[in-house]
């Protein structure tokens, strides 16, 4: 399921491309190399403007095409509201801080756990602290540990759009991680390439947010992708099911929806968040173009006319419909977000477990 990403005319005009090439992976215009590399932004800093949201707001250097922080003050205020409504429908089975929504009697005390930075202080057993001087949390039998596993696609096809799809993917991943950590749950980031390119250690609670954002800040788009292999690898190594969010453009010829289905059958609460560029939704170019595969560098010459653009639109719609059909079949979530639009709406639809 691949879609053309971009194109240029024989005179060097840049354009979004279309599906004149029959089964090619995402393509984009060829660009000349510039001499000096782009300057990096400032180091990770804490923005005190977020104090009104009762949460820390973090800025981090973006790719050159986007000056926005991963989590700005207004975005965090929205996330603080949404995290109270987020419900993870898979449970890991381990003792933790999240109260499961079950019928039956009240929660039964099970054991204490040592307090860790970022834990909700309201859960501290103050009587035990007075006796021992050591802060501990009370855990109950009806409570279970929850983990959000976030698979962020970092293939070269995401380095497209203004701002790029990778910028949007990283901000969506940061938003999901923030909401999980704000609830004293765990979050873990996996960077997908040709399988799992990088796996970061899970973090817990608000204290783990800085580490998650630093990890996302280091994600760069390059190389090819095998998203199905990455999803299968995450499911295989997961000791218990949890929330599994895959953030990608899903321009992958592999059996991605089959891998997502296997994750759902394994008990994971699956969410597919698709990021697309405006030029991919509404290509407006025509004529003779040369397309370059964003991930392999292969070139193909195409003639874009009304029929070719219609074929592209049908192919792109087919990709979205395949993701939509998967979500409906497995009770999963499918949200599509444009990289050039505010992401708050996409996050709201994710929390509401919508199917776009």
């Amino acid at each position: 399921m691949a879609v053309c990403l971009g194109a240029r005319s024989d005179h060097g005009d840049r354009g979004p491309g279309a599906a004149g090439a029959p089964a090619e992976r995402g393509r984009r215009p060829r660009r000349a190399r510039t001499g000096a590399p782009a300057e990096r932004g400032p180091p990770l800093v804490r923005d005190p403007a977020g104090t009104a949201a009762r949460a820390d707001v973090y800025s981090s250097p973006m790719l050159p095409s986007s000056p926005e922080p991963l989590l700005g003050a207004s975005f965090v205020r929205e996330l603080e509201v949404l995290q109270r409504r987020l419900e993870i429908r898979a449970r890991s089975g381990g003792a933790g801080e999240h109260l499961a929504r079950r019928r039956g009697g009240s929660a039964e005390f099970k054991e204490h756990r040592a307090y860790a930075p970022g834990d909700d202080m309201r859960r501290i057993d103050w009587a035990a602290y007075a006796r021992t001087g050591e802060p501990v949390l009370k855990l109950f039998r009806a409570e279970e540990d929850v983990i959000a596993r976030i698979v962020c696609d970092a293939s070269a096809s995401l380095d497209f759009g203004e701002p790029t799809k990778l910028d949007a993917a990283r901000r969506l991943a940061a938003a999901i991680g923030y909401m999980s950590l704000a609830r004293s749950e765990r979050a873990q980031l996996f960077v997908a390439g040709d399988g799992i390119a990088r796996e970061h250690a899970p973090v817990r609670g608000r204290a783990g947010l800085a580490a998650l954002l630093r990890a996302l800040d280091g994600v760069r788009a390059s190389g090819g992708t095998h998203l199905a292999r990455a999803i299968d690898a995450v499911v295989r190594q997961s000791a218990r099911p949890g929330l599994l969010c895959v953030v990608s453009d899903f321009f992958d010829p592999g059996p991605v929806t089959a891998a997502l289905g296997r994750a759902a059958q394994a008990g994971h609460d699956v969410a597919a968040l698709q990021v697309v560029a405006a030029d991919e939704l509404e290509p407006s170019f025509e004529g003779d173009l040369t397309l370059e595969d964003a991930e392999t560098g292969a070139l193909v010459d195409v003639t874009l006319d009304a029929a070719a653009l219609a074929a592209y639109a049908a192919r792109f719609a087919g990709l979205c419909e395949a993701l939509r059909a998967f979500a409906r079949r497995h009770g999963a979530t499918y949200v599509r977000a444009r990289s050039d639009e505010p992401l708050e709406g996409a996050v709201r639809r994710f929390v509401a477990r919508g199917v776009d």
Side-chain angles (χ1 to χ4, degrees):
M1 56 181 82
V3 190
C4 295
L5 295 186
R8 64 174 176 84
S9 71
D10 292 341
H11 300 289
D13 294 329
R14 181 168 179 171
E24 297 295 331
R25 193 186 294 264
R27 297 185 177 275
R28 62 175 181 176
R30 301 181 73 189
R31 292 180 289 186
R33 294 175 180 263
T34 56
E39 251 181 77
R40 289 185 61 83
L44 187 74
V45 295
R46 183 170 294 182
D47 179 1
T51 53
R54 293 175 51 246
D56 294 328
V57 184
Y58 292 87
S59 300
S60 63
M62 291 286 92
L63 295 177
S65 58
S66 175
E68 291 190 71
L70 287 176
L71 294 177
S74 62
F75 201 5
V76 165
R77 282 192 288 272
E78 180 83 12
L79 296 176
E80 278 294 312
V81 175
L82 291 175
Q83 61 93 2
R84 297 182 179 91
R85 293 161 43 195
L86 177 64
E87 180 183 356
I88 298 179
R89 296 176 293 198
R91 296 289 178 259
S92 69
E97 291 76 28
H98 189 83
L99 184 62
R101 295 190 177 183
R102 299 176 179 174
R103 295 182 179 181
S106 59
E108 175 187 351
F109 173 75
K110 182 179 181 182
E111 61 185 358
H112 285 105
R113 174 174 71 75
Y115 172 83
D119 285 336
D120 189 344
M121 294 188 66
R122 292 173 298 179
R123 313 302 297 274
I124 293 178
D125 186 339
W126 295 108
Y129 176 70
R131 292 193 305 270
T132 65
E134 297 291 333
V136 292
L137 269 64
K138 296 176 72 172
L139 303 181
F140 297 88
R141 195 169 300 280
E143 293 180 318
E144 297 173 308
D145 192 27
V146 178
I147 182 167
R149 299 179 179 93
I150 305 166
V151 179
C152 185
D153 185 358
S155 58
S157 67
L158 273 83
D159 188 19
F160 181 74
E162 289 293 336
T164 68
K165 292 184 288 182
L166 181 63
D167 290 340
R170 298 192 309 170
R171 294 188 68 211
L172 282 173
I176 294 166
Y178 181 97
M179 290 188 292
S180 299
L181 297 175
R183 295 154 56 89
S184 296
E185 294 164 359
R186 292 183 294 155
Q188 184 174 15
L189 175 66
F190 298 85
V191 181
D194 188 12
I196 294 297
R198 197 174 309 114
E199 174 185 347
H200 294 272
V203 293
R204 183 194 292 277
R206 294 183 188 270
L209 179 61
L212 176 66
L213 295 186
R214 280 195 296 269
L216 284 167
D217 181 63
V219 177
R220 296 292 183 267
S222 64
T225 183
H226 198 308
L227 203 53
R229 185 180 300 162
I231 294 168
D232 285 338
V234 172
V235 172
R236 269 196 314 272
Q237 69 184 57
S238 299
R240 300 184 181 94
L243 175 63
L244 178 61
C245 294
V246 181
V247 189
S248 172
D249 56 10
F250 293 96
F251 291 171
D252 188 318
V256 177
T257 55
L260 291 171
R262 288 190 290 272
Q265 290 166 1
H268 292 271
D269 184 3
V270 179
L273 285 79
Q274 184 185 25
V275 288
V276 297
D279 286 342
E280 292 165 346
L281 290 172
E282 301 170 353
S284 58
F285 289 77
E286 60 184 2
D288 296 328
L289 305 172
T290 298
L291 305 182
E292 178 186 2
D293 190 301
E295 299 181 6
T296 68
L299 302 177
V300 63
D301 295 324
V302 297
T303 298
L304 283 181
D305 53 18
L309 290 173
Y312 167 82
R315 190 175 181 83
F316 184 82
L319 167 62
C320 298
E321 183 54 39
L323 293 168
R324 196 175 293 120
F326 151 77
R328 288 173 176 157
R329 186 165 56 250
H330 293 277
T333 301
Y334 166 59
V335 172
R336 191 173 74 184
R338 287 177 53 145
S339 67
D340 64 333
E341 291 184 349
L343 297 177
E344 286 83 350
V347 177
R348 289 188 208 106
R349 298 195 301 278
F350 162 75
V351 171
R353 298 319 181 99
V355 177
D356 286 356

